[in-house]
Amino acid sequence: MAKKITKPTDEVPSSVRLKRFFKDERTCFALGLILVVLSIYVFFSFASYVFTIDADQSQVEGAVQSASAKNLSGLKGAKFANLFINETFGVSAFLLLIFPFVLGLRLMQIKTFSLWKSFLLPAIFLVWSSIFFSFFFYDFYKDSALSWGGAHGDFLSVWLFDNIGWGVVLLLFVSLVVILIFASSKTLPFIKKVFTFRRKVTPQEAENQKAIGTEIVPEEWVEDSAIEVDLSGNASPEEFQPIMPKEELQEEEEKSDADELEIDIVKPEDVEVGSLDYVLKTQGKYDPTLDLSHYKFPSLSLLKTYPNENAPIVNMDEQNANKERIVNALGDFGIEITSIKATIGPTVTLYEIVPKAGTRISKIRNLESDIMLSLAAKGIRIIAPIPGKGTIGIEVPNEKPQIVSMHSIIASKKFQEEEKMALPVAIGRTITNEVFMFDLAKTPHLLVAGATGQGKSVGLNAVITSLLYKKHPAELKFVLIDPKMVEFNIYAAIEKHYMAKLPEEENVIITDSTKVIQTLKSLVVEMENRYELLMKANCRNIIDYNEKFVNRQLNPEKGHRFLPYIVIVIDEFGDFIMVAGKEVETPIARITQKARAVGMHMILATQRPSVNIITGVIKANIPSRMAFRVQSMIDSRTILDATGAQQLIGRGDLLYSGGNDVTRVQCAFVDTPEVEDIVNHISKQQAYPSAYELPEPPEGGESDISGVASVDLSKRDVLFADVARWVVSQQIGSTSAIQRNFELGFNRAGKIMDQLEKAGIVGPQKGSKPRQVLVQDDFMLTQILESLI
């Protein structure tokens, strides 16, 4: 019986190709350039027409046949200008050029303006100004060849005057005010300020106001002149201006004696002066970016572009040959296929097959090596079955892998328009060529592993770069720890913009193991300080806290401050584990356990994903993993809890696990010159006076971090595991509760509680209150217990 194969349609539809063509950056840039140049050309044509109309009018109207014209754009340009100026909108026709010019700049990605404003406002002013020039200036230009209002303005101004007479003046004035109100947010406050009632007061009245606390008037102003006081309650000291000389003041005082005036002090309704609501109404929301308000994010031009960076390279001969080999290889083992289709990615193609009914999936999974031999591939990966689909996937490397540029990722619509993620990280493209992104704030920590030279360092640079393109220096700080001393040194130039470090520390990039321990201790203190601020503000997380602070609901005089996110990146943290052991692992465990809510997130990277480096405690607190190619199946299981990382092809090929499904991603390539250009762009701008200062680390040893003086977990109580399971299941961290349930003495129960704290299962002691249980489920607890064996 012949094998039935459903051949997929591999040809890309013409409509899709056309859509890709118009979305291509080169096409957009070319169209934008054409619009900008055309707008400039027409501008000079219009401008030249204004000055040469008298000489060219006879030729424009066809009265004289001549091949030459005084207009800079020639006779055709003069006729084109005449159409839009004299025969239509007059000199207001220049406003027609704003929208195409702005649209051109936007397509070229040189400058971004609001398209609807660039179209709507010039269009409205075009009509208004045409009528304005015709109505008020017709007598001045009626004998000239140039019509200031154009035929459109002349017709409408005459029609309006015939119907409403001199009401045209009122109509033009009111319409102008309405237009300006919607065109600029400053118009309405200016109008209110103009109509605010002000009156002159004498020095005695000013003293009375100052006495009752309504206005604070400087003494020297009262002595030398009368003061103009804003009775609305919104005046600032700058608005107090002298209005009359001292000689005239006596006459004014005499008049005021005869007839005293009552002064009504108007305050904002239902708002107590000096309250936080009063500050919000008078000063507006707090802007954390105000200190660096002129900061400009890096532009896309700093990143390299590559050919076909937005679309995969399709080689139909290669795809058809691979399909045939897969079918034949499975057929040799008696496995029939009913359909097979290919999804082409930048470096890997996914072949989805549907086996004949009754075929055991495990049988196909066991043929991985045979299919690899048949395809002569570097390494294939079988997904049996694909989650959410009734198919089996076979991932095969492409003969000519495609470079995924960082430019294509940052310039993508998905990244540019992302607004919901607190810390958006874009690292590459999936096997379906879609931009792959995740929110580091929800991750909330990331574990990165991969053998030397497989793209791990490039991946970390991609993470940092994507954050630099999205977050203002006021919103994000980095702590970079680099034992190799060369990976992160390039970021030292943006110390005063994006970096956090210890007080009086010279080097912002941490390389020494002693400094690492001090920095991690300091980060633990920072975490605890932030939790204290959240507790005082009655907030559960950094988002709620910062929102309250921005709305001026928190008082800076009580210690509140805007909290930037802190991203801690430790490259090759295995070196520090080998040197410092628990002194490094304990603060890392504490930060990964509870720092998420206060906006502190950790990225740990290592090239040795062994169980003594990636311990159970670390894995339990970092559910998100990024695995580049590793040497063995055991290493893959250590980092991902699944196989597959050993079959990656290297050069940025990675597997990302967010806790559930595993996604294959080709990491974007960002090389050192690109990072240097980005850093130089940032470092040349105005910066803060210094780097973000972390608190002083506590003096002493390990006990300062864990809260336990000298607990040796190698000498755990025999009931330690049973107590730990009970504490986690009941979510009760109480020594007295352990005493009652296990019938233990106080001293023994207290020692077990100290051991639970040292292991990271419960938090530090809080007076008479029960301790916080840091472990939430049995899986996490099992990981911790296994790491202690």
Side-chain angles (χ1 to χ4, degrees), residues 201-260:
V201 297
T202 64
Q204 183 61 40
E205 290 173 329
E207 287 293 334
N208 293 338
Q209 291 182 52
K210 187 171 72 169
I212 63 175
T214 58
E215 297 288 351
I216 300 177
V217 183
E219 294 290 343
E220 60 271 18
W221 292 359
V222 176
E223 292 177 359
D224 295 338
S225 62
I227 307 300
E228 183 180 14
V229 179
D230 182 356
L231 299 183
S232 67
N234 295 323
S236 59
E238 291 80 1
E239 293 177 330
F240 289 103
Q241 300 293 335
I243 59 174
M244 65 176 65
K246 189 173 182 180
E247 291 77 12
E248 299 178 15
L249 189 58
Q250 293 179 353
E251 297 179 10
E252 194 69 16
E253 287 179 348
E254 292 175 359
K255 294 179 182 179
S256 63
D257 291 339
D259 184 13
E260 295 183 359

Side-chain angles (χ1 to χ4, degrees), residues 716-755:
R716 300 185 299 278
D717 193 285
V718 292
L719 291 176
F720 174 84
D722 294 333
V723 173
R725 291 189 179 93
W726 182 86
V727 167
V728 171
S729 64
Q730 301 296 321
Q731 289 292 296
I732 297 175
S734 168
T735 304
S736 59
I738 295 175
Q739 282 183 267
R740 291 193 302 270
N741 283 275
F742 292 89
E743 298 181 354
L744 302 176
F746 178 82
N747 290 337
R748 187 179 178 186
K751 288 181 179 179
I752 294 177
M753 184 61 77
D754 289 341
Q755 293 171 356

Side-chain angles (χ1 to χ4, degrees), residues 535-574:
M535 180 185 67
K536 291 180 179 178
N538 294 320
C539 297
R540 299 185 62 183
N541 53 56
I542 187 176
I543 297 176
D544 296 340
Y545 177 88
N546 281 341
E547 184 178 357
K548 275 191 173 183
F549 191 87
V550 167
N551 290 322
R552 300 190 185 273
Q553 296 174 321
L554 302 176
N555 194 343
E557 294 182 0
K558 295 183 178 180
H560 291 292
R561 55 192 170 91
F562 183 84
L563 299 179
Y565 286 92
I566 297 179
V567 176
I568 307 115
V569 185
I570 305 180
D571 190 17
E572 199 45 65
F573 79 98

Side-chain angles (χ1 to χ4, degrees), residues 489-769:
N489 192 53
I490 193 172
Y491 296 104
I494 56 175
E495 170 185 342
K496 295 181 179 180
H497 292 85
Y498 280 101
M499 296 299 163
K501 67 176 185 178
L502 294 172
E504 300 181 1
E505 177 62 38
E506 182 178 353
N507 298 320
V508 69
I509 309 300
I510 305 152
T511 58
D512 182 74
S513 59
T514 304
K515 296 295 183 183
V516 172
I517 296 171
Q518 292 180 351
T519 302
L520 290 174
K521 289 181 178 181
S522 175
L523 288 168
V524 172
V525 177
E526 172 77 11
M527 177 183 70
E528 298 296 349
N529 291 344
R530 289 185 170 211
Y531 264 109
E532 186 175 349
L533 290 176
L534 262 65
M535 180 185 67
K536 291 180 179 178
N538 294 320
C539 297
R540 299 185 62 183
N541 53 56
I542 187 176
I543 297 176
D544 296 340
Y545 177 88
N546 281 341
E547 184 178 357
K548 275 191 173 183
F549 191 87
V550 167
N551 290 322
R552 300 190 185 273
Q553 296 174 321
L554 302 176
N555 194 343
E557 294 182 0
K558 295 183 178 180
H560 291 292
R561 55 192 170 91
F562 183 84
L563 299 179
Y565 286 92
I566 297 179
V567 176
I568 307 115
V569 185
I570 305 180
D571 190 17
E572 199 45 65
F573 79 98
D575 286 355
F576 295 116
I577 294 291
M578 298 288 287
V579 173
K582 291 292 182 181
E583 281 194 283
V584 170
E585 185 179 356
T586 301
I588 288 177
R590 290 201 64 196
I591 292 171
T592 54
Q593 280 172 349
K594 57 181 291 190
R596 169 183 183 175
V598 293
M600 298 171 64
H601 305 277
M602 184 167 282
I603 301 175
L604 302 178
T606 182
Q607 64 181 358
R608 296 195 304 272
S610 55
V611 291
N612 62 327
I613 301 298
I614 304 177
T615 63
V617 175
I618 291 176
K619 288 182 66 175
N621 294 310
I622 308 180
S624 296
R625 325 277 171 76
M626 187 189 298
F628 293 84
R629 187 181 183 184
V630 294
Q631 298 297 332
S632 66
M633 185 184 298
I634 296 176
D635 290 343
S636 179
R637 288 190 179 277
T638 303
I639 179 67
L640 290 175
D641 295 326
T643 61
Q646 78 281 3
Q647 296 164 323
L648 299 175
I649 60 175
R651 297 178 63 85
D653 190 18
L654 66 92
L655 294 176
Y656 176 86
S657 171
N660 296 316
D661 297 336
V662 176
T663 305
R664 192 165 187 173
V665 181
Q666 176 60 44
C667 183
F669 178 67
V670 51
D671 62 3
T672 303
E674 290 178 275
V675 178
E676 286 178 345
D677 290 341
I678 294 170
V679 168
N680 289 336
H681 171 83
I682 297 173
S683 63
K684 291 178 181 177
Q685 300 186 57
Q686 180 187 1
Y688 294 107
S690 61
Y692 183 88
E693 194 169 282
L694 296 173
E696 286 282 355
E699 298 293 334
E702 191 177 315
S703 59
D704 294 315
I705 296 176
S706 65
V708 184
S710 57
V711 176
D712 187 358
L713 288 180
S714 63
K715 300 177 181 179
R716 300 185 299 278
D717 193 285
V718 292
L719 291 176
F720 174 84
D722 294 333
V723 173
R725 291 189 179 93
W726 182 86
V727 167
V728 171
S729 64
Q730 301 296 321
Q731 289 292 296
I732 297 175
S734 168
T735 304
S736 59
I738 295 175
Q739 282 183 267
R740 291 193 302 270
N741 283 275
F742 292 89
E743 298 181 354
L744 302 176
F746 178 82
N747 290 337
R748 187 179 178 186
K751 288 181 179 179
I752 294 177
M753 184 61 77
D754 289 341
Q755 293 171 356
L756 292 174
E757 182 185 353
K758 185 67 177 289
I761 297 172
V762 299
Q765 187 174 0
K766 297 181 179 180
S768 60
K769 296 181 180 180

Side-chain angles (χ1 to χ4, degrees), residues 75-116:
L75 182 58
K76 295 291 185 183
K79 289 183 176 181
F80 183 80
N82 180 72
L83 173 65
F84 284 96
I85 296 179
N86 268 10
E87 296 182 12
T88 315
F89 297 107
V91 293
S92 306
F94 283 93
L95 296 171
L96 291 169
L97 305 179
I98 294 177
F99 179 71
F101 185 78
V102 168
L103 179 59
L105 293 179
R106 190 182 181 98
L107 289 172
M108 295 171 68
Q109 297 183 354
I110 293 178
K111 195 72 174 176
T112 301
F113 296 98
S114 173
L115 287 180
W116 76 269

